């Protein structure tokens, strides 16, 4: 009897072991190989490439050069794993134009649908960027005008405060070398909060940390941990640190929402900002509390992070190419913000920077609603996530020529008319999609370009900038694109005599 029980126990053990082994093999199969119904006529980027940025010292350019560029240029689309899922990544402009145009087939499907269980999805929810169909149209009806035509005077005041802050901190620390990340975040936060959220969170105060800035930095540092970004499924487990982060996210959203609501009922607030419109849509019962907060959060996030990345890249190109810096300083000297808008050289620098350093280098948030042929023969089944890679498209030699990797503002033209004509053409043909395109194109583009011109001119009026020698020239290893932890050497132009001995 005992022997039979023993044999039975051993057999049950073996069966269990076999089940576990099979489950593990199945998991490995899911990660290593794309599903068998994915198109066979485009190449697969090896699964480990998606983890190189996190686990090696390679930056996004190294990874792109070594593993993606040749395949993307030859085939125009590749299969890639991202966020524990196999996706089709489109890089050829013709294919990208098709994706951007056909919103019904390549339907927006943001994190709230793709990974609803993830902490990241709790953070930004179902918002104007990620929503699809009727819900998206509802959000757009509420905010479109206020985002496209926001109050802009605050940008001039904020930029002036930013310049003073840099000067004061240089004097105080007796150093010309500054890590720019925090300063640029404070400036872009101030711009978006004042203009579109109608609320001043005092992010540019000297010696008085802004509550919003501190809380935002903390909550982001908790959410964006590489392990959970690579394997969002882990957020389904009751891991204590993630449970805590979820709670932090909830508190942050509550704080932001209540501060902004309080400002909208303040009779001294005359700014009919996007927050104002959302608040009144909430009062009229057109949107729910959650939808209000989801959209407030995304305006804060998209409205400051993307410009922050862009400003970082702009500072980098100015510092890296001193001749371009001097020429732009000369070109913009004494010009008003309105004149800057029409300055060909200034705009060509913005567009060239967006081409080489698109803040959102890779976005995968569309899901096919039916089987579809990309181009003539790449057949993608229903229910597959499709994304695009701005970094690859902006550097494709077939479209940008052999000098594609060089920073040449003149490629956009020499006159304002040519520069704008070429920019519009590049956007329409999806050769430059840093601001996306079609019906879902970025609503904040005009504002972002405006604040960038004001920022760049103010920097050049006040400083000569160069790369800090101790800084190693590399891009972010993963995620959004910009020079990684950039440090800039600021030489104060007007106060030079005061600091020349530093
Ligand atoms: C340099 C700065 C910026 C860049 C590069 C940028 C880029 C983009 C991109 C690539 C998309 C499409 C995202 C996707 O496919 O999921 C987008 C959408 C959007 N952006 Fe921006 N953005 C910038 C600044 C801003 C600013 C300042 C705002 C102000 C709130 C803003 C508001 C939006 C909105 C509302 C959408 C969604 C449009 C829709 O789907 O209807 N963006 N942006």
């Amino acid at each position: 009897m005992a022997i039979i029980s023993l044999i039975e126990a051993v057999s049950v053990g073996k069966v269990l072991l076999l089940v576990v082994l099979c489950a593990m093999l199945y998991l490995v199969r899911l990660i290593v190989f794309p599903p068998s119904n994915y198109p066979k006529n485009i190449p697969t980027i090896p699964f480990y490439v998606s983890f190189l940025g996190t686990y090696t010292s390679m930056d996004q350019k190294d990874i792109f050069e070594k593993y993606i560029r040749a395949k993307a240029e030859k085939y125009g689309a590749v299969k890639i794993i991202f966020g524990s899922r196999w996706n089709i990544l489109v890089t050829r402009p013709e294919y990208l134009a098709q994706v951007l145009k056909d919103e019904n087939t390549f339907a927006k499907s943001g994190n709230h649908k793709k990974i609803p269980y993830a902490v990241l999805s709790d953070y930004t929810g179902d918002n104007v960027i990620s929503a699809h169909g009727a819900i998206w149209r509802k959000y757009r009806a509420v905010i479109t005008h206020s985002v496209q035509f926001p109050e802009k005077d605050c940008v001039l005041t904020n930029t002036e405060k930013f310049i003073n802050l840099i000067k004061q901190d240089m004097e105080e620390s007796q150093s010309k070398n500054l890590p720019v990340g925090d300063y640029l975040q404070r400036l872009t936060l101030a711009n978006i909060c004042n203009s579109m959220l109608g609320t001043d969170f005092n992010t540019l105060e000297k010696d008085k940390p802004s509550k919003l800035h501190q809380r935002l930095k903390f909550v982001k540092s908790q959410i964006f941990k590489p392990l959970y970004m690579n394997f969002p499924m882990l957020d389904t487990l009751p891991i204590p640190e993630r449970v805590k982060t979820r709670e932090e996210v909830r508190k942050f959203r509550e704080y932001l929402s209540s501060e902004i609501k309080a400002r909208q009922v303040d009779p001294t607030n005359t700014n009919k900002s996007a927050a104002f419109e959302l608040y009144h849509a909430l009062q009229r019962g057109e949107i729910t509390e959650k939808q209000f907060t989801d959209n407030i959060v995304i305006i804060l996030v998209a409205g400051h992070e993307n410009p922050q990345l862009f400003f970082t890249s702009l500072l980098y190109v100015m510092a890296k190419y001193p001749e371009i810096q001097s020429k732009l300083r000369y070109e913009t000297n004494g010009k008003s913000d309105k004149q800057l808008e029409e300055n060909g050289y200034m705009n060509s620098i913005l567009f060239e920077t967006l081409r080489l350093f698109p803040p959102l280098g890779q976005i995968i948030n569309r899901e096919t609603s039916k089987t579809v042929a990309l181009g003539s023969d790449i057949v993608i089944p229903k229910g597959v996530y499709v994304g695009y890679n701005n970094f690859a498209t902006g550097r494709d030699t077939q479209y940008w020529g052999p000098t594609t990797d060089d920073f040449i503002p003149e490629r956009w033209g020499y006159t304002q008319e040519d520069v704008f004509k070429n920019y519009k053409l590049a956007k329409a043909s999806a050769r430059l999609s840093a601001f996306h395109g079609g019906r879902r194109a970025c609503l904040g583009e005009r504002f972002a370009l405006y604040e960038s011109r004001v920022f760049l001119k103010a920097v050049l009026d006040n400083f000569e900038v160069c790369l800090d020698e101790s800084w190693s020239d590399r891009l972010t290893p993963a995620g959004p694109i910009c020079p990684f932890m950039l440090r800039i050497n600021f030489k104060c132009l007007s106060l030079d005599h005061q600091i020349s001995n530093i």
Side-chain angles (χ1 to χ4, degrees):
M1 210 42 194
I3 292 177
I4 292 172
S5 303
L6 185 65
I7 293 171
E8 272 173 7
V10 170
S11 304
V12 170
K14 274 186 182 163
V15 171
L16 271 178
L17 193 68
L18 200 69
V19 169
V20 171
L21 262 174
C22 286
M24 281 172 70
L25 278 175
Y26 178 67
L27 267 180
V28 170
R29 153 84 184 79
L30 286 184
I31 292 177
V32 177
F33 303 107
S36 56
N37 62 344
Y38 275 37
K40 305 266 184 307
N41 52 351
I42 55 172
T44 299
I45 304 297
F47 77 97
Y48 55 84
V49 173
S50 298
F51 308 105
L52 291 176
T54 312
Y55 303 109
T56 71
S57 61
M58 294 177 88
D59 74 358
Q60 298 200 69
K61 181 150 190 304
D62 302 332
I63 298 168
F64 167 71
E65 291 295 352
K66 192 157 180 197
Y67 298 100
I68 300 177
R69 179 169 223 158
K71 289 177 178 167
E73 288 199 6
K74 183 162 179 199
Y75 294 90
V78 295
K79 288 169 278 192
I80 193 164
I81 193 164
F82 182 76
S84 316
R85 180 196 295 272
W86 280 94
N87 312 275
I88 310 283
L89 195 62
V90 173
T91 57
R92 182 171 296 164
E94 287 87 342
Y95 295 163
L96 181 51
Q98 180 187 347
V99 171
L100 301 186
K101 204 168 160 199
D102 190 354
E103 244 274 292
N104 288 332
T105 309
F106 299 96
K108 269 278 178 103
S109 180
N111 290 329
H112 67 293
K113 279 191 80 185
K114 193 163 60 167
I115 41 170
Y117 42 79
V119 173
L120 178 59
S121 305
D122 281 14
Y123 182 42
T124 50
D126 169 14
N127 57 66
V128 64
I129 295 190
S130 55
H132 177 66
I135 296 189
W136 168 70
R137 283 194 291 277
K138 178 156 77 172
Y139 297 158
R140 282 289 297 256
V142 176
I143 65 163
T144 295
H145 186 268
S146 52
V147 174
Q148 282 186 322
F149 303 99
E151 199 280 296
K152 288 196 302 199
D153 291 349
C154 57
V155 172
L156 297 169
T157 326
N158 290 336
T159 310
E160 203 179 310
K161 281 190 190 168
F162 162 83
I163 296 288
N164 287 336
L165 204 58
I166 298 259
K167 285 184 179 172
Q168 287 166 4
D169 283 0
M170 276 166 67
E171 273 188 51
E172 222 164 73
S173 65
Q174 290 289 291
S175 168
K176 295 175 178 180
N177 293 325
L178 294 178
V180 294
D182 236 36
Y183 292 99
L184 296 181
Q185 186 175 35
R186 289 164 73 183
L187 170 61
T188 51
L189 271 175
N191 286 348
I192 199 70
C193 291
N194 290 152
S195 63
M196 296 198 201
L197 298 179
T199 309
D200 194 346
F201 285 95
N202 301 315
T203 59
L204 289 165
E205 293 290 304
K206 172 101 179 99
D207 300 331
K208 201 172 150 214
S210 148
K211 213 167 158 185
L212 174 81
H213 187 215
Q214 298 305 312
R215 293 183 79 145
L216 181 71
K217 279 204 301 188
F218 174 70
V219 87
K220 274 181 70 178
S221 70
Q222 300 304 301
I223 299 172
F224 294 99
K225 293 198 168 158
L227 179 67
Y228 301 102
M229 291 300 104
N230 285 325
F231 302 102
M233 278 295 276
L234 290 174
D235 278 343
T236 56
L237 305 173
I239 302 169
E241 73 159 341
R242 289 310 268 181
V243 173
K244 203 165 154 232
T245 304
R246 221 180 263 285
E247 179 57 13
E248 293 297 342
V249 166
R250 191 193 60 74
K251 283 197 225 153
F252 176 77
R253 283 170 51 98
E254 207 172 271
Y255 158 74
L256 183 68
S257 168
S258 63
E259 290 287 318
I260 284 174
K261 276 185 194 160
R263 187 71 186 121
Q264 306 320 311
V265 289
D266 181 340
T268 61
N269 185 3
T270 54
N271 182 356
K272 297 224 172 351
S273 65
F276 174 91
E277 300 299 349
L278 283 164
Y279 179 73
H280 286 279
L282 174 66
Q283 298 306 306
R284 292 192 298 270
E286 290 166 15
I287 57 172
T288 64
E289 279 284 344
K290 180 173 179 318
Q291 289 174 329
F292 171 80
T293 310
D294 288 348
N295 282 292
I296 290 291
V297 171
I298 204 65
I299 290 173
L300 179 85
V301 171
H304 95 274
E305 278 181 7
N306 295 331
Q308 181 194 343
L309 296 156
F310 187 37
F311 287 15
T312 310
S313 299
L314 285 170
L315 269 186
Y316 169 77
V317 295
M318 287 297 104
K320 177 116 179 154
Y321 307 106
E323 283 168 21
I324 297 179
Q325 180 186 154
S326 302
K327 186 172 171 195
L328 185 62
R329 182 177 294 110
Y330 175 78
E331 281 269 340
T332 56
N333 188 20
K335 299 260 173 18
S336 69
D337 53 337
K338 291 209 174 46
Q339 288 169 319
L340 291 182
E341 205 169 328
E342 285 153 19
N343 186 283
Y345 195 56
M346 166 66 97
N347 288 316
S348 67
I349 285 171
L350 299 188
F351 303 155
E352 185 68 346
T353 308
L354 283 169
R355 182 182 74 81
L356 286 172
F357 308 100
L360 296 172
Q362 178 170 297
I363 304 174
I364 304 180
N365 64 3
R366 286 171 182 262
E367 188 183 9
T368 49
S369 60
K370 59 179 187 209
T371 299
V372 57
L374 186 66
S376 59
D377 60 352
I378 302 173
V379 179
I380 307 177
K382 180 179 171 183
V384 173
Y385 271 85
V386 175
Y388 55 106
N389 188 310
N390 286 320
F391 192 74
T393 306
R395 288 168 185 256
D396 194 322
T397 44
Q398 292 167 63
Y399 299 87
W400 295 100
T403 59
T404 187
D405 288 327
D406 302 332
F407 187 81
I408 309 177
E410 289 78 11
R411 76 170 77 238
W412 295 92
Y414 291 89
T415 63
Q416 166 67 357
E417 289 70 35
D418 281 352
V419 170
F420 257 91
K421 194 179 80 198
N422 287 327
Y423 180 56
K424 276 190 184 154
L425 271 175
K427 286 203 298 180
S429 58
R431 281 185 298 128
L432 184 82
S433 42
F435 285 111
H436 198 276
R439 287 200 310 158
R440 305 298 301 260
C442 175
L443 268 186
E445 175 179 347
R446 279 164 57 105
F447 180 75
L449 292 178
Y450 173 79
E451 60 177 336
S452 309
R453 293 184 197 102
V454 171
F455 162 74
L456 208 46
K457 176 175 162 45
V459 168
L460 298 187
D461 276 353
N462 287 279
F463 308 106
E464 196 176 300
V465 289
C466 46
L467 296 174
D468 175 4
E469 279 169 13
S470 69
W471 180 72
S472 79
D473 194 337
R474 62 190 296 253
L475 290 182
T476 40
I481 304 256
C482 76
F484 188 51
M485 300 179 83
L486 181 67
R487 285 189 74 95
I488 286 287
N489 184 305
F490 290 90
K491 188 173 165 202
C492 203
L493 286 176
S494 50
L495 297 177
D496 200 33
H497 58 284
Q498 293 179 16
I499 56 168
S500 58
N501 293 329
I502 291 175

